Each structure stands twice: as C-alpha cells, then as structure tokens.
Amino acid sequence: HYKRSLANRLLHDTTIGTEQEDQFLTMVKQRCGAMWTRNQEAMIRDIKMSDSKHKDNFEAFRKVDAGCAAFEKTAVAVRLLNERMWPAFKEDKLTAPSALQQVIDGFDRYYEAHQSTQEGAPKIQLNWLLTQGNATVKPVYGGKSKGFGHSAFRSFKMELVNPYQLAILLLFNIQDKWTAPQLEAQLSVESSELKKYLTALTMNKYKALRARTVDG
C-alpha cells in the first residue's frame, strides 16, 4: 500500500519532497529491515536522476535537435522508471495526438543518443506510461475584452491531473467541436474511460470544455 501511495506522490508531484520521503524510509528500514524499503529507495533514486541529470541533458538536446522545434515553447519533464522496482500500472491504450507524439519522439531520440555514449551498457527500450503524470496548460481563446484574453486571466493556468486530459484538450487546437465517438476514434479510448476524463473537464469550477447532449 505504501509503495503505491509513494509512486502516486512521486509521479503526480504531490510529495512534500524526496528528502522527507528518504527520512521516512530510513525509519521504516530501522524498524523492519532493509528488504522492506529496497524498491521504494530505488523509486526515489529514479525520480532524483530524472529531475537532475536527464532533465538538464534533454533541455540541452532540444536546443540542437531540429525535430524538437515543434514544441520549443513547451516545458517538458520526463521521468525514467525501472519497472522492476515500481508497482504495476494500468497499461496505456491512448493514441497520442500529434502535438504530444512530437514530445515522445523527441525524448526517444534524446535517449537513443544518450545510450550511444554508454559503451558496453545494454540498450534499453522505453515503454511510455501515459496513464501517469500531469500537465499545466494556459488556455488562450476569446478576445481582449472577454474570455481568457482578458487582462484578469493573463496569469491563469489550468492544472490537469492526467495526460489523457491533455490529449483531449490538444485535439481542440485542431477544431472547436468534437463528438464523443470522434474522440474515441482519435484517441483509441473506450467510451467508459473517455466519459470519466470528459466529466472532469466539463464539471470543474473552471470548465475547460462545454458538453452538449444531442438527441437522436
């Protein structure tokens, strides 16, 4: 239970800090033994490595890789996890929109280049886990006198708790209206799953989308 709870905090940025998590694990180790904290300590090391080494290296790679120009104004943080140490997560079925796929492809190129510099090390194939993570977006629509173009909303940002929500919103950069069957086909998401994410986007205090039921 603690392992899964820790994984959710680390991947969704809700932990109070990896140092505090380390301190708690030290107490557990002293009480129960090192065998009970081995995986959790490895999880924290994965996050620290991703947020220090790989984050900076990927930023440097983006400046020289032509393919990364498509998302040059987007801040990206990717976490590399050793799946043997982390709890099992739900498998992805999401077909990423092109804007999200460009980020995925860019990091894949970076990691391939990174591995080519590690002589003698076995090659690792990345398996993207799009069911985890979060995103922050700044909606831009309406004019200067209304909508998010108004001065009162210049610093407004919307927090998304799941990459699926980001994928849905990215499709609205292509066209203003989508039906549920169209979204299902574009994202390869089952209707029950899609309804859950759409509900979150249409029922929050700050609604990202407006839903309309059509009879017949």
Side-chain angles (χ1 to χ4, degrees):
H1 174 79
Y2 174 71
K3 182 179 179 180
R4 182 164 291 277
S5 177
L6 174 64
N8 286 330
R9 291 198 300 275
L10 293 174
L11 296 180
H12 293 274
D13 295 320
T14 58
T15 178
I16 58 176
T18 54
E19 297 303 324
Q20 288 79 1
E21 300 284 6
D22 276 331
Q23 291 174 10
F24 182 78
L25 284 175
T26 298
M27 291 189 291
V28 175
K29 184 189 298 186
Q30 291 172 346
R31 183 67 178 267
C32 304
M35 65 175 292
W36 294 102
T37 62
R38 180 173 62 91
N39 286 2
Q40 290 90 330
E41 289 173 322
M43 289 160 56
I44 292 176
R45 285 196 299 271
D46 285 347
I47 296 299
K48 288 181 176 180
M49 179 68 74
S50 297
D51 290 346
S52 57
K53 178 181 177 181
H54 289 297
K55 184 177 181 179
D56 291 340
N57 288 349
F58 182 47
E59 287 300 313
F61 177 84
R62 289 175 61 177
K63 294 177 181 179
V64 298
D65 181 73
C68 292
F71 56 95
E72 62 181 351
K73 296 183 179 180
T74 303
V76 178
V78 178
R79 268 68 183 269
L80 288 170
L81 316 179
N82 183 338
E83 64 179 356
R84 294 178 301 173
M85 300 298 179
W86 289 72
F89 293 104
K90 179 181 177 182
E91 289 295 326
D92 290 324
K93 296 181 180 179
L94 177 69
T95 299
S98 60
L100 182 55
Q101 189 61 48
Q102 289 170 344
V103 176
I104 293 172
D105 293 341
F107 192 87
D108 281 342
R109 291 193 299 274
Y110 152 74
Y111 197 66
E112 178 65 26
H114 169 74
Q115 290 193 103
S116 66
T117 64
Q118 312 297 310
E119 295 184 6
K123 294 292 183 180
I124 298 175
Q125 179 68 39
L126 295 182
N127 179 32
W128 286 83
L129 189 64
L130 297 178
T131 54
Q132 303 297 314
N134 51 61
T136 302
V137 298
K138 184 175 182 180
V140 179
Y141 60 86
K144 294 182 179 180
S145 61
K146 62 179 182 178
F148 287 103
H150 190 272
S151 59
F153 290 101
R154 285 177 182 171
S155 60
F156 177 80
K157 293 181 180 180
M158 188 173 293
E159 302 293 336
L160 305 177
V161 298
N162 193 289
Y164 278 62
Q165 294 179 339
L166 175 62
I168 292 170
L169 291 185
L170 286 173
L171 291 178
F172 284 85
N173 287 338
I174 302 173
Q175 62 187 47
D176 294 336
K177 296 180 180 180
W178 292 85
T179 65
Q182 287 174 334
L183 290 174
E184 289 176 37
Q186 285 286 329
L187 301 173
S188 302
V189 177
E190 296 179 0
S191 58
S192 58
E193 289 287 303
L194 179 64
K195 182 178 180 180
K196 178 174 61 176
Y197 302 125
L198 287 175
T199 298
L201 293 171
T202 57
M203 300 295 288
N204 285 341
K205 179 180 179 180
Y206 298 108
K207 298 178 178 60
L209 300 175
R210 183 172 58 190
R212 183 164 61 95
T213 302
V214 180
D215 295 331

